[in-house]
Structures are given as structure tokens and as C-alpha cells.
């Protein structure tokens, strides 16, 4: 069974067809994988397929900003798969937000 990382590596190396095949195989195992649908949207061939992929992402997570932007670009005729890939990569590399502090953390008991 391939991994998402293997599919991403193929896409990054320019082997989009191989990456697409790996992503499709992953979806056969878990069709509710938001990341796989998002990556797949960047390597499918038609706008209809891109729209299906992005709508599946948003069905799983309506707050996915990358999918929202991709769908808006697709509907306005300005979709660019490379832009979507860049957004996905930036989203993956963004540092996670610090966990919120609780009220106990606001007090300094050492004084």
C-alpha cells in the first residue's frame, strides 16, 4: 500500500501521473482522506475532476482554506495547479499554532 508521502514525492519529482495513480490507490482504501483529495485535485486532468476533488475536500472539511481558494479559482477560470500545490505545501510546512494557555498558566506560583 502506498503512502501519501510517496505520492507527494512523485508529484514533487514531476511524476504527476505516478503520483495520481498512488493517490487514487490511497482513496480506494480511505475515500474520506481530505489530504489525498486535495493533492489529487492538483494532478487530475480536467476541471470537472478538479471540481469533484475540491468539493470532496470541502465536504470533509468546510474550513479548508486551500480547497476554498482552489474552487474559487476554478470557478473564475484562474485555476493553476502549481499555485494549488504551493498552497498545499505552505499549509503543510506552517508551524502549528501554540496551544492556548489556560487560566492556571496565567499565574506565577514561584513568587
Amino acid at each position: 500500500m502506498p503512502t501519501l508521502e510517496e505520492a507527494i514525492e512523485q508529484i514533487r519529482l514531476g511524476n504527476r501521473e505516478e503520483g495520481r495513480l498512488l493517490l487514487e490507490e490511497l482513496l480506494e482504501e480511505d475515500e474520506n482522506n481530505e489530504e489525498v483529495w486535495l493533492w489529487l485535485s492538483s494532478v487530475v486532468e480536467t476541471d470537472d475532476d478538479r471540481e469533484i476533488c475540491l468539493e470532496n475536500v470541502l465536504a470533509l472539511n468546510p474550513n479548508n482554506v486551500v480547497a476554498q481558494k482552489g474552487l474559487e479559482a476554478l470557478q473564475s477560470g484562474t485555476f493553476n495547479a502549481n499555485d494549488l500545490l504551493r498552497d498545499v505545501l505552505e499549509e503543510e510546512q506552517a508551524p502549528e499554532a501554540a496551544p492556548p494557555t489556560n487560566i492556571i498558566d496565567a499565574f506565577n506560583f514561584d513568587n
Side-chain angles (χ1 to χ4, degrees), residues 45-67:
E45 295 295 320
T46 69
D47 285 347
D48 288 340
D49 288 342
R50 286 181 191 76
E51 186 173 358
I52 290 168
C53 292
L54 293 169
E55 287 175 348
N56 283 328
V57 172
L58 293 173
L60 295 167
N61 177 4
N63 297 318
N64 187 305
V65 176
V66 175

mmCIF file of all heavy atoms in Angstrom, residues 45-67:
data_model
loop_
_atom_site.group_PDB
_atom_site.id
_atom_site.type_symbol
_atom_site.label_atom_id
_atom_site.label_comp_id
_atom_site.label_asym_id
_atom_site.label_seq_id
_atom_site.Cartn_x
_atom_site.Cartn_y
_atom_site.Cartn_z
ATOM 1 N N GLU A 45 -6.657 15.632 -14.680
ATOM 2 C CA GLU A 45 -6.516 16.263 -15.988
ATOM 3 C C GLU A 45 -7.584 17.303 -16.332
ATOM 4 O O GLU A 45 -7.321 18.223 -17.096
ATOM 5 C CB GLU A 45 -6.520 15.179 -17.076
ATOM 6 C CG GLU A 45 -5.329 14.252 -17.001
ATOM 7 C CD GLU A 45 -4.014 14.957 -17.267
ATOM 8 O OE1 GLU A 45 -3.961 15.813 -18.164
ATOM 9 O OE2 GLU A 45 -3.042 14.656 -16.554
ATOM 10 N N THR A 46 -8.786 17.167 -15.799
ATOM 11 C CA THR A 46 -9.861 18.052 -16.240
ATOM 12 C C THR A 46 -10.372 18.932 -15.104
ATOM 13 O O THR A 46 -10.247 18.585 -13.918
ATOM 14 C CB THR A 46 -11.057 17.243 -16.793
ATOM 15 O OG1 THR A 46 -11.687 16.543 -15.710
ATOM 16 C CG2 THR A 46 -10.618 16.271 -17.881
ATOM 17 N N ASP A 47 -10.964 20.043 -15.485
ATOM 18 C CA ASP A 47 -11.557 20.934 -14.488
ATOM 19 C C ASP A 47 -12.719 20.257 -13.758
ATOM 20 O O ASP A 47 -12.923 20.495 -12.568
ATOM 21 C CB ASP A 47 -12.035 22.235 -15.144
ATOM 22 C CG ASP A 47 -10.887 23.169 -15.487
ATOM 23 O OD1 ASP A 47 -9.748 22.940 -15.011
ATOM 24 O OD2 ASP A 47 -11.121 24.149 -16.227
ATOM 25 N N ASP A 48 -13.465 19.412 -14.471
ATOM 26 C CA ASP A 48 -14.558 18.684 -13.819
ATOM 27 C C ASP A 48 -14.008 17.789 -12.710
ATOM 28 O O ASP A 48 -14.571 17.739 -11.607
ATOM 29 C CB ASP A 48 -15.342 17.840 -14.823
ATOM 30 C CG ASP A 48 -16.208 18.686 -15.747
ATOM 31 O OD1 ASP A 48 -16.514 19.854 -15.399
ATOM 32 O OD2 ASP A 48 -16.595 18.179 -16.813
ATOM 33 N N ASP A 49 -12.915 17.096 -12.987
ATOM 34 C CA ASP A 49 -12.300 16.246 -11.968
ATOM 35 C C ASP A 49 -11.740 17.078 -10.814
ATOM 36 O O ASP A 49 -11.840 16.693 -9.649
ATOM 37 C CB ASP A 49 -11.193 15.382 -12.575
ATOM 38 C CG ASP A 49 -11.732 14.263 -13.451
ATOM 39 O OD1 ASP A 49 -12.931 13.922 -13.330
ATOM 40 O OD2 ASP A 49 -10.956 13.732 -14.264
ATOM 41 N N ARG A 50 -11.132 18.223 -11.124
ATOM 42 C CA ARG A 50 -10.612 19.109 -10.078
ATOM 43 C C ARG A 50 -11.747 19.564 -9.168
ATOM 44 O O ARG A 50 -11.611 19.578 -7.943
ATOM 45 C CB ARG A 50 -9.938 20.328 -10.690
ATOM 46 C CG ARG A 50 -8.609 20.071 -11.312
ATOM 47 C CD ARG A 50 -8.017 21.373 -11.866
ATOM 48 N NE ARG A 50 -6.877 21.142 -12.694
ATOM 49 C CZ ARG A 50 -6.890 20.679 -13.943
ATOM 50 N NH1 ARG A 50 -8.023 20.388 -14.530
ATOM 51 N NH2 ARG A 50 -5.782 20.506 -14.621
ATOM 52 N N GLU A 51 -12.860 19.947 -9.787
ATOM 53 C CA GLU A 51 -14.005 20.412 -9.008
ATOM 54 C C GLU A 51 -14.523 19.311 -8.078
ATOM 55 O O GLU A 51 -14.813 19.567 -6.906
ATOM 56 C CB GLU A 51 -15.117 20.879 -9.938
ATOM 57 C CG GLU A 51 -16.279 21.506 -9.208
ATOM 58 C CD GLU A 51 -17.296 22.122 -10.148
ATOM 59 O OE1 GLU A 51 -17.105 22.108 -11.375
ATOM 60 O OE2 GLU A 51 -18.300 22.636 -9.626
ATOM 61 N N ILE A 52 -14.602 18.087 -8.589
ATOM 62 C CA ILE A 52 -15.045 16.961 -7.757
ATOM 63 C C ILE A 52 -14.096 16.780 -6.574
ATOM 64 O O ILE A 52 -14.538 16.620 -5.425
ATOM 65 C CB ILE A 52 -15.136 15.670 -8.597
ATOM 66 C CG1 ILE A 52 -16.312 15.764 -9.572
ATOM 67 C CG2 ILE A 52 -15.267 14.444 -7.697
ATOM 68 C CD1 ILE A 52 -16.326 14.679 -10.639
ATOM 69 N N CYS A 53 -12.812 16.811 -6.830
ATOM 70 C CA CYS A 53 -11.826 16.639 -5.759
ATOM 71 C C CYS A 53 -11.959 17.731 -4.701
ATOM 72 O O CYS A 53 -11.993 17.445 -3.499
ATOM 73 C CB CYS A 53 -10.406 16.658 -6.325
ATOM 74 S SG CYS A 53 -9.990 15.244 -7.360
ATOM 75 N N LEU A 54 -12.028 18.977 -5.145
ATOM 76 C CA LEU A 54 -12.109 20.092 -4.201
ATOM 77 C C LEU A 54 -13.425 20.080 -3.430
ATOM 78 O O LEU A 54 -13.452 20.384 -2.227
ATOM 79 C CB LEU A 54 -11.918 21.424 -4.944
ATOM 80 C CG LEU A 54 -10.522 21.621 -5.532
ATOM 81 C CD1 LEU A 54 -10.492 22.819 -6.462
ATOM 82 C CD2 LEU A 54 -9.477 21.751 -4.425
ATOM 83 N N GLU A 55 -14.512 19.712 -4.086
ATOM 84 C CA GLU A 55 -15.784 19.606 -3.388
ATOM 85 C C GLU A 55 -15.758 18.481 -2.354
ATOM 86 O O GLU A 55 -16.352 18.610 -1.280
ATOM 87 C CB GLU A 55 -16.928 19.421 -4.376
ATOM 88 C CG GLU A 55 -17.248 20.698 -5.126
ATOM 89 C CD GLU A 55 -18.308 20.537 -6.206
ATOM 90 O OE1 GLU A 55 -18.654 19.386 -6.545
ATOM 91 O OE2 GLU A 55 -18.783 21.565 -6.709
ATOM 92 N N ASN A 56 -15.042 17.407 -2.653
ATOM 93 C CA ASN A 56 -14.891 16.330 -1.671
ATOM 94 C C ASN A 56 -14.085 16.803 -0.463
ATOM 95 O O ASN A 56 -14.405 16.454 0.675
ATOM 96 C CB ASN A 56 -14.248 15.096 -2.304
ATOM 97 C CG ASN A 56 -15.231 14.306 -3.136
ATOM 98 O OD1 ASN A 56 -16.418 14.257 -2.842
ATOM 99 N ND2 ASN A 56 -14.736 13.674 -4.180
ATOM 100 N N VAL A 57 -13.046 17.581 -0.699
ATOM 101 C CA VAL A 57 -12.276 18.146 0.415
ATOM 102 C C VAL A 57 -13.199 18.974 1.296
ATOM 103 O O VAL A 57 -13.217 18.822 2.524
ATOM 104 C CB VAL A 57 -11.096 19.016 -0.085
ATOM 105 C CG1 VAL A 57 -10.438 19.751 1.076
ATOM 106 C CG2 VAL A 57 -10.080 18.181 -0.830
ATOM 107 N N LEU A 58 -13.974 19.860 0.665
ATOM 108 C CA LEU A 58 -14.844 20.748 1.439
ATOM 109 C C LEU A 58 -15.991 20.006 2.106
ATOM 110 O O LEU A 58 -16.477 20.441 3.163
ATOM 111 C CB LEU A 58 -15.358 21.877 0.546
ATOM 112 C CG LEU A 58 -14.265 22.846 0.078
ATOM 113 C CD1 LEU A 58 -14.807 23.830 -0.940
ATOM 114 C CD2 LEU A 58 -13.638 23.564 1.268
ATOM 115 N N ALA A 59 -16.423 18.888 1.535
ATOM 116 C CA ALA A 59 -17.441 18.069 2.202
ATOM 117 C C ALA A 59 -16.870 17.471 3.487
ATOM 118 O O ALA A 59 -17.580 17.343 4.489
ATOM 119 C CB ALA A 59 -17.936 16.971 1.270
ATOM 120 N N LEU A 60 -15.591 17.134 3.458
ATOM 121 C CA LEU A 60 -14.936 16.574 4.638
ATOM 122 C C LEU A 60 -14.532 17.651 5.634
ATOM 123 O O LEU A 60 -14.549 17.433 6.841
ATOM 124 C CB LEU A 60 -13.700 15.765 4.216
ATOM 125 C CG LEU A 60 -13.990 14.525 3.385
ATOM 126 C CD1 LEU A 60 -12.713 13.987 2.753
ATOM 127 C CD2 LEU A 60 -14.665 13.468 4.249
ATOM 128 N N ASN A 61 -14.146 18.813 5.110
ATOM 129 C CA ASN A 61 -13.715 19.920 5.967
ATOM 130 C C ASN A 61 -14.091 21.241 5.304
ATOM 131 O O ASN A 61 -13.325 21.775 4.507
ATOM 132 C CB ASN A 61 -12.203 19.866 6.208
ATOM 133 C CG ASN A 61 -11.707 21.033 7.043
ATOM 134 O OD1 ASN A 61 -12.489 21.866 7.513
ATOM 135 N ND2 ASN A 61 -10.406 21.104 7.225
ATOM 136 N N PRO A 62 -15.258 21.779 5.648
ATOM 137 C CA PRO A 62 -15.712 23.028 5.028
ATOM 138 C C PRO A 62 -14.784 24.216 5.288
ATOM 139 O O PRO A 62 -14.862 25.222 4.599
ATOM 140 C CB PRO A 62 -17.074 23.271 5.666
ATOM 141 C CG PRO A 62 -17.492 21.959 6.230
ATOM 142 C CD PRO A 62 -16.234 21.216 6.557
ATOM 143 N N ASN A 63 -13.884 24.090 6.249
ATOM 144 C CA ASN A 63 -12.975 25.188 6.592
ATOM 145 C C ASN A 63 -11.617 25.085 5.918
ATOM 146 O O ASN A 63 -10.715 25.841 6.252
ATOM 147 C CB ASN A 63 -12.787 25.241 8.116
ATOM 148 C CG ASN A 63 -14.085 25.528 8.826
ATOM 149 O OD1 ASN A 63 -14.864 26.370 8.396
ATOM 150 N ND2 ASN A 63 -14.336 24.803 9.900
ATOM 151 N N ASN A 64 -11.451 24.165 4.980
ATOM 152 C CA ASN A 64 -10.167 24.011 4.307
ATOM 153 C C ASN A 64 -9.961 25.195 3.356
ATOM 154 O O ASN A 64 -10.584 25.267 2.287
ATOM 155 C CB ASN A 64 -10.110 22.683 3.550
ATOM 156 C CG ASN A 64 -8.741 22.409 2.991
ATOM 157 O OD1 ASN A 64 -8.184 23.222 2.249
ATOM 158 N ND2 ASN A 64 -8.182 21.266 3.336
ATOM 159 N N VAL A 65 -9.093 26.098 3.769
ATOM 160 C CA VAL A 65 -8.871 27.347 3.029
ATOM 161 C C VAL A 65 -8.257 27.096 1.658
ATOM 162 O O VAL A 65 -8.619 27.748 0.673
ATOM 163 C CB VAL A 65 -7.985 28.306 3.857
ATOM 164 C CG1 VAL A 65 -7.653 29.568 3.076
ATOM 165 C CG2 VAL A 65 -8.650 28.647 5.174
ATOM 166 N N VAL A 66 -7.348 26.132 1.569
ATOM 167 C CA VAL A 66 -6.701 25.840 0.291
ATOM 168 C C VAL A 66 -7.741 25.347 -0.718
ATOM 169 O O VAL A 66 -7.762 25.788 -1.869
ATOM 170 C CB VAL A 66 -5.566 24.818 0.466
ATOM 171 C CG1 VAL A 66 -4.973 24.422 -0.878
ATOM 172 C CG2 VAL A 66 -4.479 25.376 1.378
ATOM 173 N N ALA A 67 -8.628 24.458 -0.288
ATOM 174 C CA ALA A 67 -9.674 23.948 -1.183
ATOM 175 C C ALA A 67 -10.647 25.057 -1.559
ATOM 176 O O ALA A 67 -11.092 25.132 -2.707
ATOM 177 C CB ALA A 67 -10.415 22.789 -0.534
#
